[in-house]
Amino acid sequence: MASNSPAPEGIDVQEAPGAGAWGEWNPTEDSARSLRGKHRVLKPRGGLARSSTVLGVGVIAAVGAGGIATAQDRPQVAISMPSIPDLLGGGDHSGEAAAQADSAGVPRQADAQHGQQAVQTQGHPDAGEALRHRILQQAESQQDAAESQARADAERVARESAAQEARSQKEAADKEAEAVRAAAEKAAAEKAAADRAAAAQAETKGAADTGSGGGPTVKSSGGWSLPTSSYTLTSHYGDSGSMWSSGHHTGLDFAAPTGTPVKAVGGGKVVSAGWSGAYGYRIVLQLADGTEVWYCHLSSMAVTSGSVGAGETIGRVGATGNVTGAHLHLEVRKGGSTVDPLAWLTARGLDV
């Protein structure tokens, strides 16, 4: 581009050739070489002030014109780009860099700086390898977390299964216990019904054996009566064993169903009736000669005081006190001492 203003002093500006004179521009190593070192800036002379903009435009014009003129007589130079490993700092290119610096006329100080930079670059780890290592670490961490979560889930499922199994077993045990209780209650109800039926049958039989005036039973002799009916003799007077506190049996046992009527063996009066510890419910009948007849383990008491006649119902067979089953324990006492009830009843003409 032409200018009408005078050229600054100290700068030789040639007229730029036309477009046909330039031809093809092929830069050489000399013309493409970057400027190094310090640049000298001319001071203004003769009172003319030059700004940095004007000076820069002049220098660019001069250098460009000289380079274009010189490039016409120079051979073409191939331009190459550095490879990726060179950019990442791989490989030892200090010798090649030094040779290029010698051919280009670069000072040795720049060579030393370039070598130091190369050594520093070689000390850094490969960026791709570092990235791969981080990715592998993240993958392993995620896999470990997934395995830990899977183990935790499996343990939770196992605990829940065990708890459910324990609940199922407890429910089954409760149902079984309920069934056992129901069966026991049913058996007890059936036994109670059977006892009531037996008692009713015994009552009917006793009524048949008793006269219309309420006198002694058929099995009677001279105003005496057996203490009960439908019985079986089990334990006799004098039997020894650990079941009795005195070491031997002090009475005669008439095993009979619960509720079987108990009758007075002779005429007398009831002097005691109530609970008596191991004897259970007991009635004491005192005869005219002072003999006491004890009726023990009763289920109920019909007469608790007053006079009664032979064969009169005074209570019912039971299993109260220290017993192993329903029966009437009969004791005969004279002067405070026990006698054999079987011999005493037999002596009064009763067929026991």
Side-chain angles (χ1 to χ4, degrees), residues 123-148:
H124 293 289
D126 184 78
E129 180 64 23
L131 179 59
R132 186 181 69 84
H133 184 64
R134 286 197 298 271
I135 292 174
L136 290 177
Q137 285 183 337
Q138 291 177 358
E140 291 177 357
S141 177
Q142 293 176 357
Q143 184 177 2
D144 293 341
E147 292 177 354
S148 300

Side-chain angles (χ1 to χ4, degrees), residues 66-91:
I68 293 172
T70 307
Q72 295 177 355
D73 300 330
R74 296 288 184 177
Q76 297 182 358
V77 178
I79 299 176
S80 62
M81 293 296 292
S83 63
I84 296 301
D86 294 338
L87 291 177
L88 295 177

Side-chain angles (χ1 to χ4, degrees), residues 282-293:
R282 181 191 66 173
I283 294 176
V284 177
L285 175 64
Q286 187 179 53
L287 303 178
D289 62 355
T291 302
E292 292 184 352
V293 181

Side-chain angles (χ1 to χ4, degrees), residues 1 3 5-14 35 40 42 50-67:
M1 179 178 65
S3 175
S5 62
E9 294 182 6
I11 299 177
D12 185 11
V13 179
Q14 298 180 0
L35 297 178
R40 180 171 172 270
L42 296 178
R50 298 179 179 84
S51 65
S52 60
T53 302
V54 175
L55 181 59
V57 171
V59 172
I60 292 171
V63 173

